[in-house]
Amino acid sequence: MLPALVRKTWRDDRRALFGWAAGVTVFTAVYSGFYASFQGTAEFKQEALPREVLEFLGVADLLSPAGYLQASVFSLLGPLLVIMCAVTLTVRTIAGPEEDGGMELLLANPVSRVAFAGQRLAASGAAATLVAALPGLVLLVVVPVIGMDIPLSHVAAAGAGLVALVWCFTGIAFLAGAVTGRRGPVLAVTGAIAVATYMAHALSGVVDGIGWMRWLSPFHYFIGTDPLHTGWHPVELLVLVAAGALTAAAGVLLFDRRDVGV
């Protein structure tokens, strides 16, 4: 039997979860389904932009099936959608109820504050994981149906990377909420880190002398390994999982020590 707080969190978030799941599923299916019609103009579009711009956007290879999927699903829009979903769900765990004045009622449950935070995080994290897994699951069906020449193991690797990326940012968002108890700082901090680290990843490949910055970016560990071409990279995935676990654990501990509502 699942803990009551987990069930309540899922019940409260079910509409948002269904909406995000439907949106991400449609996005993945539509963009991947455009592959056949896109092929006729791909070479023209690739030649129309400087290679540095394409590398910055993470779409240097538009001609191969793997390059197309990376450009359309995994480079920017896909990660943006699932990170937005994860932050939206995670902000409801602590920051939302505390800012709305409902935290005292939730804390009336007969569990410790550590258990409370852990159960709320587990519920939102599971929901975010479900949404983040959808692009990979959809593509495992769509890729063979439309005849894209990509090993399904590589598709699964990219899908797993997206889930690991979401775990990383879920931990960051939870930590910000646990420390501040306010929605604004959660959105601002997580958004700023996402933008800054994406820029670090993108610029490190096109600007001389800053290649070291890619090691600071979660996006490097997700898509910098080019999983659609090269397959699984367990070490990089573990880095993202560890970052999410450490920030989430820090959030639980700091929430336990903080005066709620102060």
Side-chain angles (χ1 to χ4, degrees), residues 18 25 30 97 126 145 181 207 262:
F18 290 152
T25 299
V30 169
V145 169
V207 178
V262 177

Side-chain angles (χ1 to χ4, degrees), residues 137-209:
L137 295 174
V138 170
L139 289 173
L140 287 174
V141 175
V142 172
V143 163
V145 169
I146 63 178
M148 300 181 81
D149 186 19
I150 309 174
L152 292 184
S153 63
H154 292 190
V155 175
L162 198 57
V163 171
L165 182 72
V166 160
W167 286 355
C168 177
F169 279 99
T170 295
I172 293 170
F174 182 78
L175 174 59
V179 170
T180 65
R182 296 291 182 270
R183 292 185 183 89
V186 175
L187 300 176
V189 169
T190 312
I193 291 175
V195 171
T197 56
Y198 181 84
M199 292 294 292
H201 165 68
L203 291 173
S204 65
V206 297
V207 178
D208 293 336

